């Protein structure tokens, strides 16, 4: 049989040879042309090929051994039978160190990649990064998994068959860009450019996206901000106007009052912030108290933890202010001088928010509330609050955060060393200037600026991301083309089923291009998928609001060449723009991406040490901070200089200083100071602006007085959409939270220290640590329902009753017998935890992928047990063994009785979450959802 | 080294060279089929009288080129679902099979071969792609050899085969299971059979030497 086969191969070889097929028969050759091209030539063109024997003699090393290789960055863990598990001591010797910035969460820590033989073998923190100071978390280390994941998208794909059927074919970049350009050109020329929507997940190439969209002429740039931090930002803006991000000076603090932030595991500041918190505690003796429904790792590491009833953080905070004022422990001078209310006004406003009242609504003890409040006041001004989604992601989240931040004004820690600080530099040092940008697009879109949410877009464009699929479904807005970028909305958006329905519906989204490094849940609903580079293969200048309270610039560089045909938007947007034409192309005349980066970084000054400046300096150091700049403490006390005062006018009655009609400062105690950048030049406890803007009143005067001219009145499209916004920090309870029935709980979600929301469960090193998310229940709650660890429950979730009344435009779905609208049901196992409020139920997010690689789905490859990996040692389970060592695969086939604890890939909690924007800002109220539970089996 | 094209006509006087040339042609052809989807030109080529007969005799189910549009789309979809995914596929990349991740040490080894094997390569082609490895082997086999270098080239050929082609015998059965078209099912089988034959042949040569 074999000899026959051999003869046949010889015949085939001869036939091929006669047709000119031999040597390198590459894709660049035209097979049909080969025979006719030249009968004396083996290929169409004479390719340079062959073996250089002399070179081989000189260069060959020991034979390459199969199956006993070290993986990049892997220290093989001891497994059964493993004999040798440590990397060779020279593994990291003589590596090239390349700077970059992580992008596996929002913190963008500076990193250094160790590259050897064109392969990244290790990631470490960059000690030159002033914010992260050389620290990097587990996610950062797992960047190696991200870069070298075996299921990465490497080629452009085009859908064939029905959308979401999962049938694809490879196309070339030329074909992809031609098709996209044709569609986008049509949209652009249709007169409705806003019907091209760009929908981003986590993005750190702001300039590249803005350049493309502004050049195109659409402002429909959708984001996830309202699913993240909208309330905290809006609350900060009411007080400060110039910054939406408080940078708590915890390293110099004596008292840290944490409302629902899990900074030790997630949070926008994560590593930079957690590191400074611990420095504050261990080097400065700071006390940390956490209020959180759940005992997070941050709460668990605090000196005291309290679990208030969900959504009552604001009530507790107001009661604390009440207690401080009542005990005369407030900073009267700060309140009288630097806020726009008097102590008496504030006391009057807070009189009913007593600790006893707060104790009743929160379930905490009034004595604890008062005690913590007075401790906080005693530590001031080196005392600060911190908060995040625990308090923000509620139907009353805007007011929760207003109330929390008020505490800092009451004790006078605003802007003080060790207190509640901020900086006007949310990103790059303003010294660096992007090469000339196109003028901003002028379009308006209901999806980008829904008129129902007055504070979503007036200071910053925070948008209301969670409503977009609903509004499309309702026919309130229309799209011709939709481009998604690093987005996993079917997993991370509320109402999974609605999101999927809309993404699948070609009448609602006629053309969908997905840009991603992996085939995630969003890509599944695309028409064209473009393989995106990882953050280890592309360029950016990047920075976050720094806890050093001064700006900096960091650089993201390609540490290795992009794998396969993966490309970054900086690389292919210029080509796409040229194909669309119509003037777009003129914004891409800057040369190569490196030329662009060089121009962008050109103002980075010369280093005294190395003599390098600009891009060269950043490439060497990875980050640059202007250390001559003082930290941004008490900016309101800065005296205006002669140049600033030249031509200025002082209002004798109010002391307000203005120039050319714009506020620039205020006279306090005879000194001309900068003040706060608000209309009153003070910390605005009473915000006239939010009240007026809520009612669509003209706020031009207030905006001019603040000097913050980027703040906008609401556009004419908002007319008729008035919303009552209280000018003072208040607190109310969502109606459905009052009087919960026996089987009702409030659902809360959380992140782990090894995951972000939707982009890390494919990374094996991280998935191995956390891959599932049973529902947490307090033991007392479990006992009431006769539940124990491992039992299964069915969770049913409901739309918000409060929003049914306040936001009827959101209403969809049929009401059940009790008059409530069900969002979804889900069956999950339970785990009992003392660390949870008894009226809450907690499930982590990040889990429950149904796409996004086998690791994310916790599916071993079929047959992997039979020794799939060449040469692998079946007795030594190695991390590098991508397929076989997935010990957490769920073998139950959906039968709860056979489910083994800690197996499977978990459940997508967003299947249960209703679309629930805070009526003021639009922030998604992830933590306010009321659910019912029933024991199964 | 002088880099010249190889004569298309097998020199009948030199059995060894002829043998290498013939085998090299098979490697080159298979390499093309694994590197990319079938296009119209390749389909047309495979349907040429002489070739289609030989391919059919080996068991390859060659689609007729009369039904090109649908056939090509169907073949492209099958190629994609087998090798590119985007999910539950079997990447034809040695590093994935050997060390679980992309661009593993197999790539380093391939790079070391390319230091002395000159071959035109699309820079976006993954260096440890099975199709590319087949083409490197084809190049090695088609390379002109001076009498003094015969032993060296035989060693290179043997090493390269062992180090960069044998691994695919794990890939091919899995690819057969995934393939939905008879063309790709049969291609995997024919290729596996070819590698088996080559293994036998190389072992025999080693035993002889």
């Amino acid at each position: 049989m074999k000899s026959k086969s051999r003869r046949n191969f010889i015949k085939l070889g001869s036939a091929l040879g006669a047709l000119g097929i031999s040597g390198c028969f590459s894709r660049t050759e035209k097979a049909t042309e080969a025979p006719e091209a030249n009968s004396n030539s083996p290929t169409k063109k004479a390719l340079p090929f062959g073996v250089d024997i002399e070179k081989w003699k000189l260069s060959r090393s020991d034979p390459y051994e199969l199956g006993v290789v070290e993986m990049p960055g892997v220290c093989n863990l001891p497994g059964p039978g493993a004999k040798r598990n440590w990397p060779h001591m020279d593994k990291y010797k003589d590596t090239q160190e390349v700077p970059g910035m992580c992008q596996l969460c929002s913190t963008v820590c500076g990193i250094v990649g160790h590259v050897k033989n064109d392969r990244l073998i290790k990631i470490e923190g960059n000690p030159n990064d002033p914010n992260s100071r050389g620290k990097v978390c587990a996610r950062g280390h797992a960047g190696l998994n991200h870069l070298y994941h075996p299921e990465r998208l490497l080629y452009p794909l085009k859908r064939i068959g029905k959308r979401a059927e999962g049938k694809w074919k490879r196309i070339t970049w030329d074909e992809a860009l031609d098709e996209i350009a044709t569609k986008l050109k049509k949209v652009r020329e249709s007169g409705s450019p806003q019907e091209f929507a760009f929908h981003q997940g986590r993005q750190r190439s702001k300039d590249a996206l803005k350049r493309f969209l502004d050049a195109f002429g659409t402002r429909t740039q959708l984001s996830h901000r309202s699913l993240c931090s909208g309330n905290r930002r809006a609350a900060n803006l009411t007080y400060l106007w110039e910054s939406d991000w408080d940078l708590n000076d915890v390293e110099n603090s004596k008292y840290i009052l944490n409302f629902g932030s899990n900074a030790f595991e997630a949070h926008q500041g994560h590593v930079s912030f957690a590191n400074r918190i611990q420095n504050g505690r261990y080097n400065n003796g700071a006390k940390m108290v956490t209020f959180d429904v759940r005992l997070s790792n941050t709460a668990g590491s605090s000196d005291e933890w309290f679990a208030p009833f969900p959504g009552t953080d604001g009530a507790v905070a107001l009661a604390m202010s009440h207690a401080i004022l009542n005990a005369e422990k407030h900073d009267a001078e700060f309140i009288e001088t630097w806020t726009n209310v008097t102590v008496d006004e504030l006391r009057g406003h807070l009189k009913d928010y007593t600790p006893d009242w707060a104790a009743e609504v929160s379930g905490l003890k009034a004595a604890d509330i008062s005690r913590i409040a007075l401790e906080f006041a005693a530590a001031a001004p080196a005392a600060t609050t911190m908060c995040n989604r625990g308090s923000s992601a509620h139907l009353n989240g805007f007011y929760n955060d207003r109330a929390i931040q008020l505490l800092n004004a009451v004790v006078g820690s605003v802007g003080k060393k060790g207190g509640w600080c901020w900086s006007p530099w949310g990103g790059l040092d303003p010294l660096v200037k992007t090469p000339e940008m196109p003028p901003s697009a002028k379009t308006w879109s209901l999806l980008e600026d829904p008129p129902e949410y007055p504070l979503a877009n007036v200071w910053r464009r925070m948008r209301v991301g969670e409503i977009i699929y609903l509004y499309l479904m309702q026919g309130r807005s229309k799209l011709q083309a939709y481009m998604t970028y690093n987005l996993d909305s079917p997993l991370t958006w509320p109402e999974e089923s609605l999101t999927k329905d809309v993404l699948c519906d070609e009448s609602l989204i006629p053309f969908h291009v997905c840009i991603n490094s992996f085939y995630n849940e969003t890509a599944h609903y695309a028409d064209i998928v473009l393989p995106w580079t990882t953050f280890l293969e592309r360029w950016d200048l990047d920075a976050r609001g720094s806890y050093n309270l001064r700006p900096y610039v960091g650089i993201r560089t390609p540490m290795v060449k992009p794998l396969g045909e993966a490309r970054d938007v900086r690389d292919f947007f210029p080509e796409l723009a040229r194909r669309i034409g119509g003037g777009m192309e003129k914004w891409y005349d800057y040369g190569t991406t490196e030329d662009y980066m060089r121009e962008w970084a050109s103002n980075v000054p010369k280093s005294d040490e190395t003599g390098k400046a600009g891009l060269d300096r950043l490439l060497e150091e990875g980050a640059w901070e202007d250390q001559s700049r003082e930290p941004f403490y008490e900016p309101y006390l800065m005296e205006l200089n002669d140049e600033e005062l030249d031509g200025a006018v002082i209002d004798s009655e109010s002391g307000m200083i203005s120039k050319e009609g714009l506020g620039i400062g205020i006279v306090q105690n005879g000194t001309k100071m900068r003040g706060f950048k608000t209309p009153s030049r003070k910390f605005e406890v009473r915000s006239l602006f939010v009240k007026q803007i809520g009612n669509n009143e003209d706020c031009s005067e207030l905006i001019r007085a603040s000097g913050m001219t980027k703040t906008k009145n609401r556009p004419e499209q908002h007319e008729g959409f008035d919303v009552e916004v209280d000018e003072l920090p208040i607190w109310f309870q969502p109606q459905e939270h009052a009087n919960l029935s026996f089987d009702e709980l409030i659902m809360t979600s959380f992140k782990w220290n090894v995951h972000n929301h939707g982009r890390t469960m494919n990374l094996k090193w991280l998935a191995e640590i956390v891959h599932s998310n049973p529902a947490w229940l307090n033991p007392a709650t479990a006992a009431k329902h006769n539940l124990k660890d491992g039992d299964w429950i069915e969770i049913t979730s409901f739309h918000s009753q409060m929003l049914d009344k306040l936001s009827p435009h959101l209403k969809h779905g049929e009401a059940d017998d009790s008059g409530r609208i069900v969002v979804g049901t889900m069956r999950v196992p339970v785990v009992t935890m003392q660390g949870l409020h008894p009226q809450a139920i907690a499930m982590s997010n990040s889990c429950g992928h149904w796409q996004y690689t086998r690791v994310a789905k916790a599916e071993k490859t079929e047959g992997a047990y039979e020794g799939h990996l060449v040469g692998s040692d079946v007795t030594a389970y190695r991390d590098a063994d991508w397929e076989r060592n997935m010990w957490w695969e769920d073998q139950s086939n959906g039968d709860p009785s056979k489910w083994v604890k800690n197996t499977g890939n978990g459940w997508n909690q967003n299947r249960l979450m209703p679309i629930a924007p805070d009526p003021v800002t639009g922030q998604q109220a992830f933590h306010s959802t009321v659910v019912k539970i029933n024991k199964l089996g | 080294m002088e880099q010249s094209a190889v004569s298309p006509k097998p020199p009948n006087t030199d059995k060894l060279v002829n043998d290498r040339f013939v085998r090299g042609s098979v490697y080159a052809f298979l390499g093309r089929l694994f590197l990319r989807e079938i296009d119209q030109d390749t389909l047309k080529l495979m349907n040429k009288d002489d070739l289609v007969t030989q391919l059919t005799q080996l068991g390859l189910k060659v689609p007729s080129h009369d039904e090109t549009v649908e056939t090509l789309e169907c073949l492209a979809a099958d190629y994609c679902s087998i090798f590119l995914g985007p999910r539950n596929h079997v990447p034809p990349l040695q590093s994935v099979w050997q060390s679980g991740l992309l661009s593993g040490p197999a790539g380093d080894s391939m790079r070391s071969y390319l230091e002395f094997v000159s071959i035109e390569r699309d820079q976006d082609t993954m260096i440890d792609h099975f199709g590319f490895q087949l083409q490197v082997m084809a190049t090695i086999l088609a390379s002109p050899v001076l009498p003094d270098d015969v032993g060296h080239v035989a060693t290179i050929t043997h090493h390269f085969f062992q180090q960069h082609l044998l691994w695919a015998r794990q890939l091919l059965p899995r690819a057969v299971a995934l393939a939905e078209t008879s063309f790709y099912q049969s291609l995997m089988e024919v290729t596996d059979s070819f590698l088996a034959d080559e293994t036998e042949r190389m072992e025999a040569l080693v035993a002889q030497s």
Side-chain angles (χ1 to χ4, degrees):
Chain A
M1 184 68 187
K2 274 180 183 157
S3 61
K4 184 187 166 196
S5 169
R6 183 171 298 174
R7 276 202 300 278
N8 289 337
F9 281 120
I10 291 167
K11 283 184 190 171
L12 172 65
S14 302
L16 287 165
L19 287 169
I21 310 300
S22 69
C24 179
F25 179 45
S26 80
R27 60 186 280 197
T28 55
E29 296 164 59
K30 294 284 183 193
T32 48
E33 290 173 13
E36 290 84 21
N38 180 351
S39 60
N40 293 318
S41 169
T43 56
K44 183 191 167 200
K45 52 184 177 178
L47 297 170
F49 75 102
V51 179
D52 186 336
I53 298 295
E54 295 309 314
K55 216 171 182 180
W56 176 70
K57 286 177 190 168
L58 290 172
S59 69
R60 76 194 177 106
S61 52
D62 291 337
Y64 177 69
E65 291 179 70
L66 287 170
V68 288
V69 292
E70 294 282 0
M71 276 311 296
V74 170
C75 168
N76 294 321
L77 297 173
K83 291 171 187 164
R84 184 175 64 81
N85 287 303
W86 303 107
H88 193 279
M89 61 190 298
D90 287 342
K91 187 170 180 179
Y92 302 116
K93 202 175 164 187
D94 300 327
T95 57
Q96 184 196 354
E97 295 182 12
V98 188
M101 296 185 91
C102 186
Q103 208 189 321
L104 281 175
C105 82
S106 59
T107 309
V108 298
C109 299
I111 53 174
V112 176
H114 293 255
V115 178
K116 200 171 189 176
N117 300 326
D118 298 329
R119 191 145 43 101
L120 182 65
I121 62 169
K122 186 183 175 73
I123 293 170
E124 289 184 313
N126 180 0
N128 293 329
D129 185 299
N131 207 22
S132 57
R133 297 172 169 171
K135 307 289 192 297
V136 69
C137 73
R139 282 167 285 229
H141 287 287
L144 287 171
N145 284 183
H146 190 61
L147 175 62
Y148 294 122
H149 197 298
E151 292 178 71
R152 251 188 81 174
L153 289 168
L154 297 173
Y155 308 96
L157 300 175
K158 181 178 176 174
R159 168 172 72 86
I160 43 182
K162 291 179 184 165
R163 190 180 278 176
E165 192 181 340
K167 281 189 119 173
W168 300 88
K169 69 171 182 178
R170 172 166 58 180
I171 54 174
T172 64
W173 269 99
D174 264 345
E175 289 167 332
L177 294 179
D178 274 345
E179 183 165 346
I180 297 165
T182 302
K183 301 267 189 194
L184 292 188
K185 191 173 180 184
K186 201 174 153 196
V187 181
R188 195 164 184 248
E189 290 171 354
S190 71
S192 303
Q194 76 280 2
E195 291 182 4
F196 165 44
F198 186 89
H199 196 174
Q200 67 207 28
R202 180 71 56 202
Q203 69 84 15
R204 302 305 302 173
S205 303
K206 188 177 173 183
D207 62 303
L209 307 186
K210 185 166 168 47
R211 179 177 297 275
F212 183 78
L213 297 173
D214 282 340
F216 181 89
T218 180
R219 207 179 181 183
T220 315
Q221 186 178 4
L222 311 171
S223 73
H224 69 281
R225 179 154 286 180
S226 66
L227 283 81
C228 183
S229 51
N231 274 333
R232 178 180 168 195
R233 290 174 190 271
N236 284 336
L237 287 162
T238 62
Y239 289 119
L240 302 171
W241 280 53
E242 72 176 310
S243 175
D244 59 357
W245 204 245
D246 48 318
L247 291 161
N248 322 117
D249 192 24
V250 287
E251 193 159 43
N252 297 303
S253 194
K254 290 287 185 188
Y255 209 98
I256 304 163
L257 203 47
N258 172 25
F259 287 91
S261 159
N262 189 11
F264 287 8
E265 300 191 78
H267 196 92
Q268 278 87 340
H270 185 38
V271 165
S272 316
F273 194 33
N275 172 243
R276 284 170 173 82
I277 290 172
Q278 293 301 69
N279 283 346
R281 295 178 70 203
Y282 292 99
N283 299 338
N284 204 39
K287 177 173 180 176
M288 181 167 172
V289 177
T290 291
F291 295 88
D292 197 325
V293 169
R294 186 184 70 91
L295 183 67
S296 66
N297 276 328
T298 310
S301 301
S302 299
D303 297 287
E304 291 189 60
W305 165 61
F306 297 94
F309 184 86
T312 60
D313 308 69
V316 173
L318 290 176
M320 283 188 174
S321 287
H322 174 106
I324 293 166
L325 284 160
N326 203 38
E328 300 287 344
K329 298 293 182 190
H330 57 281
D331 185 336
E333 189 186 343
F334 181 84
I335 296 170
E336 294 286 348
T337 311
W338 284 115
T339 77
N340 64 346
V341 293
T342 64
V343 170
D344 286 343
E345 280 175 315
L346 194 53
R347 194 175 269 133
H349 172 65
L350 295 171
K351 74 175 167 25
D352 294 332
Y353 295 117
T354 64
D356 286 333
W357 163 82
E360 198 171 317
V361 295
S362 70
L364 306 184
K365 289 177 184 164
D368 284 331
I369 295 171
S370 297
R371 176 177 59 83
I372 301 295
L374 298 183
E375 285 178 6
F376 183 71
T384 179
T385 63
M386 54 186 262
C387 66
N388 213 27
R389 274 205 284 188
S391 58
S392 305
H394 279 284
L395 292 165
N396 56 359
F398 169 69
Y399 292 112
N400 274 339
D401 287 4
R402 283 271 279 159
I404 291 163
Q405 289 144 2
L406 173 67
L407 270 165
N408 301 286
V410 170
V411 301
S413 70
V414 172
K416 302 276 174 56
K417 189 169 185 179
W420 187 85
C421 299
W422 70 97
S423 93
W425 309 288
L428 298 172
D429 189 310
L431 188 77
V432 296
K433 309 281 183 202
T434 47
E436 189 187 359
M437 297 287 285
S440 294
K442 300 291 181 205
T443 60
W444 180 87
S445 159
L446 181 95
L447 296 180
E448 196 261 348
D449 186 22
E452 294 88 355
Y453 303 96
L455 296 188
N457 286 335
V458 290
W459 286 294
R460 301 277 195 282
R461 302 206 77 76
M462 301 194 295
R463 309 173 180 98
V464 188
E466 67 269 34
I467 52 83
I468 59 173
Y469 297 115
L470 175 64
Y471 284 14
L472 284 171
M473 190 189 80
Q474 291 172 334
R476 292 184 62 191
S477 192
K478 186 183 161 203
L479 287 183
Q480 295 183 57
Y482 181 58
M483 186 178 276
T484 53
Y485 172 79
N486 202 23
L487 176 81
D488 202 0
S489 53
L491 188 91
T492 57
W493 247 238
E495 295 196 37
E496 174 196 296
S497 63
L498 184 144
T499 304
K500 285 156 77 172
D501 286 349
V502 173
L503 284 170
C504 203
D505 190 333
E506 293 181 50
S507 70
L508 301 177
I509 298 181
F511 182 58
H512 175 186
V513 178
C514 172
I515 304 167
N516 214 341
S517 305
F518 291 90
Y519 187 77
N520 66 357
E521 285 75 6
T522 307
H524 190 58
Y525 295 97
D527 302 316
I528 289 178
V529 178
L530 299 178
W532 190 37
T533 50
T534 67
F535 64 92
L536 302 162
E537 302 164 302
R538 62 172 177 260
W539 292 98
D540 283 311
L541 291 192
D542 205 351
R544 273 284 184 191
S546 170
Y547 287 94
N548 286 357
L549 303 178
R550 56 185 168 222
Y552 69 104
V553 185
I555 191 163
R556 187 171 291 117
T557 53
M559 294 181 175
V560 291
K561 182 180 167 294
L563 295 183
E565 294 181 10
R567 293 173 73 177
D568 182 35
V569 291
R570 290 190 191 282
D571 179 30
F572 69 82
F573 270 1
E575 272 186 57
L576 188 54
R578 285 181 200 111
R579 286 169 208 236
I580 295 169
M584 276 191 83
E585 66 280 4
K586 73 179 178 190
W587 299 104
Y588 292 93
D589 283 344
Y590 49 70
T592 66
T593 300
E594 187 168 341
D595 294 338
Y596 179 90
M597 302 302 293
R598 195 164 288 283
E599 186 181 341
W600 194 5
S602 58
N603 287 344
V604 172
K606 192 164 87 174
S607 160
D608 292 338
E609 245 174 73
T610 64
K612 290 184 176 175
L615 184 65
D616 293 328
R617 181 172 185 180
L618 289 180
L619 287 173
E620 176 140 322
E621 299 174 23
W624 168 76
E625 179 191 48
D626 181 0
Q627 294 184 355
S628 66
R629 202 192 280 263
E630 289 296 318
F632 202 65
Y633 290 126
E634 297 180 282
Y636 45 93
L637 298 181
M638 289 175 191
E639 288 186 35
L640 297 175
N641 59 36
D642 291 345
E643 190 186 337
E644 287 166 321
L645 288 168
D646 185 26
V649 178
I650 300 174
D651 183 289
S652 56
E653 197 175 320
S654 65
M656 301 281 282
I657 309 170
S658 60
K659 192 171 167 178
E660 295 169 2
L662 300 177
I664 61 164
I666 187 168
V667 181
Q668 292 283 30
N669 301 322
T671 308
K672 300 176 187 75
M673 297 176 181
R674 176 189 185 274
F676 291 86
K677 290 204 169 181
T678 58
S680 63
R681 306 306 294 186
K682 295 184 178 180
F683 187 86
E684 293 214 331
V685 174
R686 183 188 298 280
S687 175
L688 191 58
F689 177 76
V690 297
K691 189 174 178 63
Q692 287 187 195
I693 208 84
N695 289 325
N696 274 297
E697 292 169 22
D698 180 14
C699 294
S700 303
E701 280 300 317
L702 296 173
I703 292 168
R704 276 197 291 275
S706 75
M708 301 296 289
T709 52
K710 283 188 175 174
T711 302
K712 301 290 180 205
N713 273 315
R714 290 168 74 188
E716 62 183 20
Q717 291 89 343
H718 285 212
E719 275 177 27
F721 292 93
D722 293 353
V723 176
E724 280 303 316
V725 187
D726 205 295
E727 56 191 11
L728 285 163
I730 59 162
W731 186 84
F732 65 87
Q733 185 160 46
Q735 89 178 65
E736 57 262 43
H737 286 191
N739 305 317
L740 291 177
S741 66
F742 168 80
D743 57 351
E744 285 182 337
L745 298 166
I746 298 172
M747 180 158 253
T748 192
S749 66
F750 61 97
K751 280 184 191 154
W752 296 99
N753 55 1
V754 295
H755 285 297
N756 63 38
H757 198 158
R759 294 182 291 118
T760 49
M761 197 52 85
N762 61 331
L763 308 181
K764 184 144 183 220
W765 296 349
L766 305 181
E768 187 161 35
I769 300 168
V770 173
H771 42 258
S772 188
N773 58 341
W776 291 26
L777 284 180
N778 184 287
T781 314
K784 275 201 315 190
H785 291 271
N786 194 26
L787 288 163
K788 60 182 186 310
D789 276 0
D791 286 346
W792 283 62
I793 54 172
E794 181 172 84
I795 307 173
T796 304
S797 63
F798 300 96
H799 282 270
S800 162
Q801 291 172 313
M802 177 185 128
L803 293 184
D804 283 350
K805 287 181 186 157
L806 283 181
S807 305
H809 61 281
L810 299 171
K811 214 163 183 177
H812 60 286
E814 297 297 319
D816 67 7
D817 295 341
S818 66
R820 305 184 72 175
I821 301 171
V822 172
V823 179
T825 60
M826 195 158 70
R827 295 176 170 205
V828 296
V830 297
V831 57
T832 56
M833 293 277 186
Q834 289 285 354
L836 187 70
H837 191 282
Q839 285 173 291
I841 178 170
M843 279 182 77
S844 86
N845 47 38
S846 312
C847 295
H849 282 274
W850 61 96
Q851 304 291 341
Y852 209 47
T853 81
R854 289 182 181 118
V855 176
K857 293 186 284 179
E859 286 175 8
K860 276 199 278 271
T861 305
E862 197 181 339
Y865 280 122
E866 282 89 57
H868 170 193
L869 296 179
V870 176
S872 57
D873 175 359
V874 294
T875 62
Y877 290 90
R878 303 166 359 155
D879 269 358
D881 185 340
W882 204 259
E883 296 186 344
R884 191 176 44 215
N885 189 14
M886 198 133 36
W887 49 262
W888 60 94
E889 186 181 51
D890 180 8
Q891 307 280 342
S892 71
N893 288 322
D895 180 350
S897 67
K898 292 181 180 164
W899 181 74
V900 176
K901 199 174 168 183
N902 204 17
T903 62
N905 71 331
W907 300 267
N908 178 22
Q909 192 224 21
N910 278 320
R911 201 170 294 167
L912 296 169
M913 295 292 107
I915 294 165
D918 179 313
V920 177
T921 65
Q923 153 117 36
Q924 168 66 16
F926 276 117
H927 301 328
S928 285
T929 307
V930 173
V931 301
K932 283 189 175 188
I933 62 167
N934 288 307
K935 184 179 178 182
L936 290 176
Chain B
M1 174 191 146
E2 188 185 341
Q3 293 175 331
S4 60
V6 181
S7 165
K9 292 184 179 172
N12 297 328
T13 53
D14 189 335
K15 188 173 178 301
L16 184 65
V17 173
N18 182 46
D19 174 66
R20 293 175 63 81
F21 178 87
V22 166
R23 287 160 56 213
S25 298
V26 179
Y27 278 105
F29 178 67
L30 293 176
R32 163 62 187 88
L33 299 185
F34 276 89
L35 260 183
R36 291 192 68 76
E37 309 79 356
I38 302 300
D39 55 20
Q40 202 161 4
D41 294 336
T42 313
L43 192 58
K44 196 171 161 190
L45 174 74
M46 286 195 295
N47 276 280
K48 285 193 176 292
D49 286 348
D50 287 354
L51 199 52
V52 76
T53 308
Q54 300 307 328
L55 292 171
T56 308
Q57 278 187 5
L58 279 166
L60 193 70
K61 309 274 176 27
V62 182
S64 159
H65 76 278
D66 296 336
E67 20 173 342
T68 49
V69 175
E70 282 184 9
T71 306
L72 288 173
E73 185 103 325
C74 182
L75 289 171
D78 204 23
Y79 179 92
C80 190
S81 74
I82 300 167
F83 292 132
L84 309 180
R87 52 187 184 148
N88 301 330
H89 56 295
V90 284
L93 305 168
Q94 187 180 4
S95 294
V96 172
W97 289 74
Q98 188 166 314
S99 43
L101 296 171
L102 298 174
S103 289
D108 292 345
S109 174
M110 283 296 295
R111 262 185 289 277
S112 72
Y113 273 97
L114 295 187
E115 282 175 14
F116 56 87
V117 179
S118 300
I119 179 168
E120 189 177 84
R121 178 167 77 99
D122 179 341
Q123 288 306 303
D124 292 334
T125 301
M126 298 295 281
I127 200 166
D128 58 350
H129 193 291
F130 178 52
F132 180 63
Q133 292 173 325
L134 288 164
Q135 296 206 328
V136 172
M137 187 64 157
T139 304
I140 293 170
L141 290 169
S143 181
V145 182
L146 296 171
D148 287 352
D149 292 334
V150 169
H152 288 304
V153 174
T155 306
I156 294 169
T157 308
H158 186 233
H159 279 185
F160 189 81
F161 183 81
Q162 290 267 325
Q163 292 161 15
H164 292 298
L165 289 168
L166 260 186
W167 71 270
R169 299 210 61 196
Q170 304 286 327
L171 161 77
L172 295 167
R174 296 271 299 280
V176 172
L178 285 179
E180 289 185 355
T181 60
S182 57
F183 172 74
Y184 277 112
Q185 279 171 359
S186 61
L187 174 64
M188 306 308 153
E189 286 162 355
V190 167
T191 307
D192 191 48
S193 168
F194 179 63
L195 291 180
D197 185 57
E198 285 288 279
T199 307
E200 206 172 90
R201 173 197 288 265
M202 298 235 188
E203 282 169 2
L205 284 173
V206 169
Q208 277 173 26
S209 65

